[in-house]
Amino acid sequence: MTSLTDRALLERLVGFDSTSRNSNRPIADFVCDYLDSPSVVIHQHPSDDGEKVTVIVRTKDHEAASTPGTPVPGLSLSGHLDVVPADEPEWTSDPFVLTEREGMLYGRGASDMKGFVALAINRFRSTVQDHPSAPLALLLTRDEELGTIGAHHWAKTWNGAPLPTDMLVGEPTELRVVTMHKGFVQLRITLTGIPAHSGYPHLGKSAIEPAGTVLIALTELRRSLDAERPDYSEHFPAVPYPALNIGRVHGGSAVNVVPDHCAIDVGIRLLPTMTGDQMCDRVRAAVADALGDTPFALDLISDSPPMWLDAETDLSSALRAEVQQQETETVSYATDAGWFQTVGYRCVIFGPGSIAVAHKPNERMPIDQFERGGAILDRVISQRYAMTS
Ligand SMILES: [Zn+2]
């Protein structure tokens, strides 16, 4: 396939409706075709049902030289191929047709995060043309928007050669260097009763009445979490504690039926070093204490670990120098990087575009930021990572 400009490649990527509910094989196959060359090795790591893939691309020579258990030199570039739905009626142009207006490129995924993915793919392709053994890898995930599911699966099941340890995850940060973010865990508490006609309530058992007890217990837990100041809280001055939100309550079927089920969905933002399992245990203890003998189920619905980089890396210092940024920056959203960190990767979040326009109608990418992001990546790669040939 002939090479495309960054913008033309972004246009092609936006043209795939890779909303998380769809298979990502069409966009993944396109990327693999575009990058295929004799010096490159491409892996499509499938989901358990085979519907979707995570794509890993690297040079054959560098893969052969990468051994488990030791840090792998070079650079990994990572992004997710899926996007959130674009069903909002407020779109003023087709969300799957990249459209320029007033210095902006509009389209679903323009910022989050096909813009960075286009830059990364083109830099990989051009670097490898000149340096067929370049220590570069691409890691393109699936189902990030459903709760970093693809990164989780990849981190737990990938048994191929390890990728370069320093990893750039190009979520939109408006070209700020982010080295820390919170995690996010979703839990569901389910209560089960016995259904009955409400005229004969003695024949049933309500699942909603004990839910009231659970809500009070969760509110108390939320208050005590608000008062905690765990490690790293100073980096999150606006919300320096693990924030618990009772996001949804769903129970019962009709006003004249004693309800046989009630589900309470809870989301908690974790500070660095906290784990979803630990938080699950705290919620279980609080609920069990309040309910006494009443049984309940607690399920971990999704788990996106926090990410933090304790020490400067070649990558973080190179990017900081590019944008002249001294201080640590944090963001309040979770990314795939949390899972990558659990298996030893040292991640930095850095990409063009703004999270403020993501997940909304008329998502867009400023053209000047897109171009500047590409130029920064060019320099960082050529100065540090393309030295072998
Ligand atoms: Zn994203």
Coordinates of all heavy atoms in Angstrom, one line a residue, residues 143-178:
D143 N -11.6 -2.2 22.8 CA -12.5 -2.1 23.9 C -12.0 -1.3 25.1 O -12.3 -1.6 26.3 CB -12.9 -3.6 24.4 CG -13.7 -4.3 23.4 OD1 -14.4 -3.6 22.7 OD2 -13.6 -5.6 23.4
E144 N -11.2 -0.3 24.8 CA -10.7 0.6 25.9 C -11.9 1.3 26.4 O -12.0 1.5 27.6 CB -9.7 1.6 25.3 CG -8.9 2.4 26.4 CD -9.7 3.7 26.8 OE1 -10.6 4.1 26.2 OE2 -9.3 4.3 27.8
E145 N -12.8 1.7 25.6 CA -13.9 2.6 26.0 C -15.0 1.8 26.8 O -15.9 2.4 27.4 CB -14.6 3.2 24.8 CG -13.7 4.1 23.9 CD -13.3 5.4 24.7 OE1 -13.7 5.6 25.8 OE2 -12.7 6.2 24.0
L146 N -14.8 0.5 26.9 CA -15.7 -0.3 27.7 C -15.1 -0.6 29.1 O -15.7 -1.3 29.9 CB -16.0 -1.7 27.0 CG -16.7 -1.6 25.7 CD1 -17.0 -3.0 25.1 CD2 -18.0 -0.8 25.7
G147 N -14.0 0.0 29.4 CA -13.3 -0.2 30.7 C -12.0 -0.9 30.5 O -11.7 -1.8 31.3
T148 N -11.1 -0.4 29.6 CA -9.8 -1.0 29.3 C -9.8 -2.5 29.3 O -8.9 -3.2 29.7 CB -8.8 -0.5 30.4 OG1 -9.1 -1.0 31.7 CG2 -8.7 1.0 30.4
I149 N -10.8 -3.1 28.7 CA -11.0 -4.5 28.6 C -9.9 -5.2 27.8 O -9.3 -6.2 28.1 CB -12.4 -4.9 28.1 CG1 -13.4 -4.5 29.2 CG2 -12.5 -6.3 27.7 CD1 -14.9 -4.7 28.7
G150 N -9.6 -4.6 26.6 CA -8.6 -5.2 25.7 C -7.2 -5.1 26.3 O -6.5 -6.1 26.2
A151 N -6.9 -4.0 27.0 CA -5.5 -3.9 27.6 C -5.4 -4.9 28.7 O -4.4 -5.6 28.9 CB -5.3 -2.5 28.1
H152 N -6.5 -5.1 29.5 CA -6.5 -6.1 30.6 C -6.3 -7.5 30.1 O -5.4 -8.2 30.5 CB -7.9 -6.0 31.3 CG -8.1 -6.8 32.5 ND1 -9.2 -6.9 33.2 CD2 -7.2 -7.7 33.1 CE1 -9.1 -7.8 34.2 NE2 -7.9 -8.2 34.2
H153 N -7.0 -7.8 29.0 CA -6.9 -9.2 28.4 C -5.5 -9.4 27.9 O -4.8 -10.4 28.1 CB -7.9 -9.3 27.3 CG -7.9 -10.7 26.7 ND1 -7.3 -10.9 25.4 CD2 -8.4 -11.9 27.0 CE1 -7.4 -12.1 25.1 NE2 -8.1 -12.8 26.0
W154 N -5.0 -8.3 27.2 CA -3.6 -8.5 26.6 C -2.6 -8.6 27.7 O -1.7 -9.5 27.7 CB -3.3 -7.2 25.7 CG -2.0 -7.4 25.1 CD1 -1.6 -8.1 24.0 CD2 -0.7 -6.8 25.6 NE1 -0.3 -8.0 23.7 CE2 0.3 -7.2 24.7 CE3 -0.4 -6.0 26.7 CZ2 1.6 -6.8 24.8 CZ3 0.9 -5.6 26.8 CH2 1.9 -6.0 25.9
A155 N -2.7 -7.8 28.8 CA -1.7 -7.9 29.8 C -1.7 -9.2 30.5 O -0.7 -9.8 30.9 CB -1.9 -6.8 30.9
K156 N -2.9 -9.9 30.6 CA -3.0 -11.1 31.3 C -2.6 -12.3 30.4 O -2.3 -13.4 31.0 CB -4.4 -11.4 31.8 CG -4.9 -10.4 32.9 CD -4.4 -10.7 34.2 CE -4.9 -9.8 35.3 NZ -4.1 -9.7 36.5
T157 N -2.8 -12.2 29.1 CA -2.7 -13.4 28.3 C -1.6 -13.3 27.2 O -1.3 -14.3 26.6 CB -4.0 -13.7 27.5 OG1 -4.3 -12.5 26.7 CG2 -5.1 -13.9 28.5
W158 N -0.9 -12.2 27.0 CA 0.1 -12.1 26.0 C 1.3 -12.9 26.4 O 1.9 -12.6 27.5 CB 0.5 -10.7 25.7 CG 1.6 -10.5 24.8 CD1 2.9 -10.0 25.1 CD2 1.6 -10.7 23.4 NE1 3.7 -10.0 24.0 CE2 2.9 -10.4 22.9 CE3 0.7 -11.1 22.5 CZ2 3.3 -10.5 21.5 CZ3 1.0 -11.3 21.1 CH2 2.3 -10.9 20.7
N159 N 1.7 -13.9 25.6 CA 2.9 -14.6 26.0 C 3.9 -14.6 24.8 O 4.8 -15.5 24.8 CB 2.6 -16.1 26.4 CG 1.7 -16.8 25.4 OD1 1.7 -16.4 24.3 ND2 1.1 -17.9 25.8
G160 N 3.8 -13.6 23.9 CA 4.8 -13.4 22.9 C 6.0 -12.6 23.6 O 6.0 -12.4 24.8
A161 N 6.9 -12.2 22.8 CA 8.1 -11.5 23.3 C 7.6 -10.2 23.9 O 6.6 -9.6 23.4 CB 9.0 -11.2 22.1
P162 N 8.3 -9.8 25.0 CA 7.9 -8.5 25.6 C 8.2 -7.3 24.6 O 9.2 -7.4 23.8 CB 8.8 -8.4 26.8 CG 9.9 -9.3 26.6 CD 9.4 -10.4 25.6
L163 N 7.4 -6.3 24.7 CA 7.6 -5.1 23.9 C 8.6 -4.1 24.6 O 8.9 -4.3 25.8 CB 6.3 -4.4 23.7 CG 5.1 -5.2 23.2 CD1 3.9 -4.3 22.9 CD2 5.5 -6.0 22.0
P164 N 9.1 -3.1 23.9 CA 10.0 -2.1 24.6 C 9.3 -1.6 25.8 O 8.1 -1.3 25.9 CB 10.1 -1.0 23.5 CG 10.0 -1.8 22.2 CD 9.0 -2.8 22.5
T165 N 10.1 -1.5 26.9 CA 9.5 -1.3 28.2 C 9.0 0.1 28.4 O 8.0 0.4 29.1 CB 10.7 -1.5 29.3 OG1 11.3 -2.7 29.1 CG2 10.1 -1.4 30.7
D166 N 9.6 1.1 27.7 CA 9.1 2.5 27.7 C 7.9 2.6 26.7 O 8.1 2.3 25.5 CB 10.2 3.5 27.4 CG 11.0 3.8 28.6 OD1 10.6 3.5 29.8 OD2 12.2 4.3 28.5
M167 N 6.8 3.0 27.2 CA 5.6 3.0 26.4 C 4.9 4.4 26.4 O 4.7 4.9 27.5 CB 4.7 1.9 26.8 CG 3.5 1.7 25.9 SD 2.4 0.3 26.4 CE 3.4 -1.1 26.0
L168 N 4.6 4.8 25.2 CA 3.9 6.1 25.1 C 2.4 5.8 24.7 O 2.1 5.1 23.7 CB 4.5 6.9 23.9 CG 3.8 8.2 23.5 CD1 3.5 9.1 24.8 CD2 4.7 9.0 22.6
V169 N 1.5 6.1 25.6 CA 0.1 5.9 25.4 C -0.5 7.3 25.0 O -0.5 8.2 25.8 CB -0.6 5.3 26.7 CG1 -2.1 5.2 26.5 CG2 0.1 4.0 27.1
G170 N -1.0 7.4 23.8 CA -1.3 8.7 23.2 C -2.7 9.2 23.4 O -3.3 9.8 22.5
E171 N -3.2 9.0 24.6 CA -4.5 9.6 24.9 C -4.4 11.2 24.8 O -3.3 11.7 25.0 CB -5.0 9.3 26.3 CG -5.4 7.8 26.5 CD -6.8 7.5 25.9 OE1 -7.5 8.4 25.5 OE2 -7.2 6.3 25.9
P172 N -5.5 11.8 24.5 CA -5.4 13.3 24.2 C -5.1 14.1 25.5 O -5.9 14.1 26.4 CB -6.8 13.7 23.7 CG -7.7 12.6 24.1 CD -6.9 11.3 24.2
T173 N -3.9 14.7 25.6 CA -3.5 15.5 26.7 C -3.2 16.9 26.3 O -2.6 17.7 27.1 CB -2.3 14.9 27.4 OG1 -1.2 15.0 26.5 CG2 -2.5 13.5 27.9
E174 N -3.6 17.3 25.1 CA -3.2 18.6 24.5 C -1.7 18.8 24.6 O -1.2 19.9 24.9 CB -3.9 19.7 25.2 CG -5.4 19.6 25.1 CD -6.2 20.7 25.8 OE1 -6.4 21.8 25.1 OE2 -6.6 20.6 26.9
L175 N -1.0 17.7 24.3 CA 0.5 17.7 24.3 C 1.1 18.1 25.6 O 2.2 18.6 25.7 CB 1.0 18.6 23.1 CG 0.5 18.2 21.7 CD1 1.1 19.2 20.7 CD2 0.9 16.8 21.4
R176 N 0.5 17.7 26.7 CA 1.1 17.8 28.0 C 1.6 16.4 28.4 O 1.0 15.4 28.0 CB 0.1 18.3 29.1 CG -0.5 19.7 28.8 CD 0.6 20.7 28.7 NE 1.1 21.0 30.1 CZ 2.2 21.8 30.3 NH1 2.9 22.3 29.2 NH2 2.7 22.0 31.5
V177 N 2.7 16.3 29.2 CA 3.2 15.0 29.6 C 2.6 14.6 30.9 O 2.8 15.2 31.9 CB 4.8 15.2 29.7 CG1 5.4 13.8 30.1 CG2 5.4 15.8 28.5
V178 N 1.8 13.5 30.8 CA 1.1 13.1 32.0 C 1.8 11.8 32.5 O 1.9 10.8 31.7 CB -0.4 12.8 31.7 CG1 -1.1 12.1 32.8 CG2 -1.1 14.2 31.4

